[in-house]
Amino acid sequence: MRTVLVVESDFHVRALIAAVLTRANYRVAVSEDLGGIIAEAALAAPDAILLDADAGGPQFGFDLLVQLRRNTATEDTAIVLMTGMTDADTLARLEGDSATLCLEKPFSRRELLQAVASACGPRVSPGNAPPVHLYSV
């Protein structure tokens, strides 16, 4: 069974994502402590991390992505960056960041499951990761 760590700042969105993934037979860990996410991710050893780009403020999610990639315990973990920011500057930044996939908010249940299934495939290092894909409604 694949494990997914959900890092989402909104309680209701986090609970909904966890419910959808649990029903789809994923083991789900959720993080409510944004300051301790690096340690939680290392401990959970997830197959994928769903990371809210807006968690903790407009810059924090992106900074957290960089920290996850610099940590030896999570450097090769697939990361699906969830964001509602689809302006040209954000999309250009995503091209340079090391997210495995990007999931555009709002997303459907099907899009969520597609992104997670794709991310939980064979592990790849960020340098060999597929290009960022935007799943939109």
Side-chain angles (χ1 to χ4, degrees):
M1 180 180 290
R2 300 289 192 155
T3 300
V4 178
L5 175 62
V6 178
V7 181
E8 166 60 55
S9 58
D10 184 287
F11 170 79
H12 299 290
V13 174
R14 188 173 60 238
L16 182 61
I17 290 171
V20 168
L21 294 178
T22 299
R23 285 188 200 116
N25 295 318
Y26 288 96
R27 183 176 306 126
V28 179
V30 295
S31 177
E32 298 178 32
D33 175 19
L34 295 177
I37 187 61
I38 302 296
E40 285 185 42
L43 184 62
D47 296 289
I49 299 171
L50 284 175
L51 176 60
D52 177 12
D54 307 323
Q59 183 64 32
F60 188 78
F62 290 104
D63 291 343
L64 191 53
L65 174 61
V66 171
Q67 292 175 36
L68 288 164
R69 286 296 178 228
R70 289 183 181 162
N71 187 293
T72 57
T74 56
E75 65 188 355
D76 292 330
T77 303
I79 298 175
V80 178
L81 192 66
M82 302 177 293
T83 184
M85 301 177 293
T86 57
D87 58 276
D89 290 337
T90 301
L91 295 177
R93 180 171 183 188
L94 289 174
E95 289 295 327
D97 281 333
S98 53
T100 303
L101 297 169
C102 182
L103 186 60
E104 183 181 343
K105 292 179 179 180
F107 47 82
S108 68
R109 176 185 173 276
R110 180 184 56 79
E111 291 166 327
L112 171 64
L113 292 173
Q114 281 180 326
V116 171
S118 180
C120 284
R123 289 190 177 204
V124 294
S125 64
N128 295 325
V132 171
H133 298 282
L134 293 177
Y135 295 92
S136 58
V137 175

